Amino acid sequence: MTEYFKYQQAQLYVESVPLESIAQRYGTPCYVYSRAALTDGYRQFADALKGREHLICYAVKANSNLAILNVFARLGAGFDIVSGGELQRVLAAGGQANKVVFSGVGKTEEEMRMALEAGILCFNVESAPELDRLNSVAASMGKVAPISLRVNPDVDAKTHPYISTGLKQNKFGVAYTEALSIYRKAAAMPHIRITGMDCHIGSQLTETSPFIAAAEKVLALVDQLEAAGIVLEHLDLGGGLGIRYDDETPPAIADYAQSLLNALEGRPHKLIVEPGRVLVGNAGVLLTRIEYIKHGEEKNFAIVDAAMNDLMRPALYDAYHAILPLRERDEAAQHYDIVGPICETGDFIGRGRELAVTQGDTLGVMSAGAYGMSMSSNYNTRPRAAEIMVDGVAIHVIRERELVSQLFAAEKIIA
Ligand code: LLP
């Protein structure tokens, strides 16, 4: 729990607002974010990097609500995007195109055109064929595309295999051993301008050493490039800093940033980072109400109104999220599996949790600000949750709860 979510008189608060009052007024399931927590995370990053030319490109995929993007844009953030859709969100939220880096292994021609039209800072190119395509799209528009190559450093991020991206067997980036020759090719392309080098090795890293190992490999390659006469303006060391969900002990933002600065000491390049989770993860909570308590033969179930469509992380990665009652009770606690209404055994939010709760109580699923709403779906024709941002005592609805009618509005019955 962070300082922005805490109990006062047995009630869980976000900033100055009891979460239960939000659940009552706006219904559940709903995501609630603390603006102060968002701002604080960004400032910690910016302060830690103050002495060096840098750009913090918030990874939009972690949480792409316009209000959240707008908070970061106003703080001066850039953005890391992975689709044309995310670019449109950034622009709609007041973000600046010239602070956008575009990552992803499958950029379409249309997405390239859109990004060139908008004038983004850099394409993080992930393969030789992508480079060819970008050169020809830029040529057709009479433009020059700024690029870095995303290099796969073959470093073990020591995280969940689904979110580890910097190993040889992963689909991301260009092979370390081929990077130099692809850079040479890029240098000869008339509609490509080399501006940097990029790497991102994975997400929810709880140690600094893999980041440093990756940075060192990047720097060794930078030396080879410079010897070949290719000079870079920036180094993008990606995102991936983990947060505390349970008992993890990830490095503090300031320590992580300092170790990147140390690794880059004596280098003239502008530093770009692409943090997602660490800026939003612990700034958000998912509120959910207990519909039923069910005592099975072997287990107790708290059946809640949030499900795997709202928060997919437990089902997909067996991820742990702390689950807290919004109002503490004196009764004895029991063990529960906290499960949703979806017809799959994988539809759980948490298992074997000790809670003193009863039917009708509301729970907070903690650390849900990153990859919660942004990975939600409409499975089982469930409208997506409302989203709320709290700012001191003020409560703002930043996304209305979806209506079922919206879910099938684009569908047609045929004759
Ligand atoms: N940059 C690139 C190129 C990325 O692919 C990612 C995340 C980030 C930055 C931001 O990483 P972060 O700082 O948030 O770790 N859905 C998973 C996480 C997937 C991360 C994908 N890439 C989860 O819920 O744990």
Side-chain angles (χ1 to χ4, degrees):
M1 237 188 322
T2 68
E3 58 186 295
Y4 302 102
F5 294 89
K6 56 177 181 246
Y7 284 104
Q8 291 171 46
Q9 284 108 39
Q11 279 223 70
L12 189 58
Y13 276 68
V14 53
E15 299 192 28
S16 305
V17 179
L19 283 162
E20 198 166 74
S21 69
I22 296 180
Q24 273 162 11
R25 185 150 158 219
Y26 300 98
T28 50
C30 90
Y31 279 95
V32 182
Y33 309 108
S34 155
R35 181 175 187 165
L38 297 168
T39 304
D40 185 27
Y42 184 85
R43 291 229 167 97
Q44 284 182 44
F45 241 114
D47 284 350
L49 296 176
K50 213 163 37 206
R52 183 177 190 109
E53 198 194 350
H54 72 271
L55 182 63
I56 300 167
C57 289
Y58 166 64
V60 173
K61 63 168 80 74
N63 189 318
S64 52
N65 184 289
L66 294 189
I68 289 183
L69 300 182
N70 177 259
V71 165
F72 290 134
R74 286 205 246 174
L75 290 166
F79 297 92
D80 167 52
I81 61 163
V82 290
S83 70
E86 287 190 349
L87 176 57
Q88 291 179 58
R89 276 187 179 275
V90 166
L91 299 177
Q96 285 169 246
N98 63 5
K99 291 184 176 176
V100 167
V101 297
F102 192 171
S103 306
V105 295
K107 301 177 193 80
T108 65
E109 287 187 5
E110 195 186 337
E111 287 174 323
M112 289 174 174
R113 266 194 296 274
M114 193 190 291
L116 283 165
E117 202 53 64
I120 66 165
L121 176 65
C122 187
F123 290 84
N124 290 336
V125 172
E126 305 219 15
S127 66
E130 181 191 334
L131 186 65
D132 288 333
R133 177 182 280 183
L134 184 59
N135 185 48
S136 56
V137 171
S140 73
M141 298 172 70
K143 291 193 186 276
V144 174
I147 66 124
S148 42
L149 283 192
R150 175 167 175 184
V151 173
N152 184 329
D154 194 28
V155 165
D156 186 358
K158 297 184 200 142
T159 182
H160 190 285
Y162 288 8
I163 54 176
S164 180
T165 54
L167 288 171
K168 269 188 201 159
Q169 62 263 38
N170 300 140
K171 68 180 174 184
F172 299 97
V174 301
Y176 192 77
T177 48
E178 287 170 25
L180 190 55
S181 74
I182 302 177
Y183 264 112
R184 282 213 166 96
K185 228 180 106 191
M189 290 180 167
H191 293 275
I192 295 291
R193 185 168 75 87
I194 297 169
T195 61
M197 192 181 295
D198 168 45
C199 98
H200 171 79
I201 57 173
S203 193
Q204 183 56 15
L205 273 73
T206 52
E207 289 172 38
T208 311
S209 51
F211 290 116
I212 300 310
E216 281 167 0
K217 291 196 88 170
V218 163
L219 290 172
L221 204 51
V222 169
D223 290 339
Q224 291 177 38
L225 276 188
E226 292 188 345
I230 298 173
V231 178
L232 306 179
E233 294 160 29
H234 74 251
L235 300 180
D236 179 342
L237 296 181
L241 181 58
I243 62 170
R244 183 171 194 149
Y245 286 99
D246 184 9
D247 54 5
E248 304 90 338
T249 51
I253 290 175
D255 295 337
Y256 159 80
Q258 189 56 50
S259 61
L260 296 187
L261 293 180
N262 294 347
L264 295 191
E265 186 150 9
R267 305 277 178 163
H269 311 94
K270 171 174 175 172
L271 170 62
I272 296 182
V273 284
E274 304 172 353
R277 187 190 316 264
V278 74
L279 294 182
V280 291
N282 275 322
V285 60
L286 171 63
L287 304 186
T288 184
R289 207 172 102 99
I290 301 178
E291 295 286 351
Y292 303 102
I293 296 282
K294 179 167 166 177
H295 298 286
E297 266 181 59
E298 283 192 6
K299 280 185 162 182
N300 300 316
F301 296 98
I303 302 170
V304 297
D305 63 3
M308 64 191 282
N309 74 297
D310 299 299
L311 181 65
M312 201 184 181
R313 304 191 70 258
L316 190 56
Y317 316 111
D318 205 12
Y320 178 94
H321 287 261
I323 299 174
L324 301 175
L326 299 194
R327 198 179 275 278
E328 291 182 303
R329 292 178 174 277
D330 291 333
E331 286 99 285
Q334 295 194 51
H335 281 90
Y336 291 97
D337 278 13
I338 317 299
V339 299
I342 286 181
C343 308
E344 300 205 21
T345 300
D347 179 29
F348 60 88
I349 305 286
R351 291 186 286 192
R353 304 301 175 85
E354 211 179 324
L355 287 166
V357 289
T358 186
Q359 182 173 322
D361 280 4
T362 314
L363 304 173
V365 184
M366 309 309 290
S367 313
Y371 306 108
M373 186 65 178
S374 64
M375 291 175 74
S376 66
S377 77
N378 294 117
Y379 189 39
N380 280 210
T381 305
R382 291 170 49 85
R384 271 178 295 176
E387 290 178 289
I388 310 275
M389 190 171 323
V390 168
D391 183 4
V393 292
I395 302 170
H396 304 278
V397 177
I398 59 170
R399 182 183 165 110
E400 302 280 354
R401 183 178 306 288
E402 250 170 3
L403 301 172
V404 171
S405 57
Q406 294 172 319
L407 303 192
F408 53 77
E411 298 173 23
K412 286 192 178 62
I413 295 171
I414 55 167

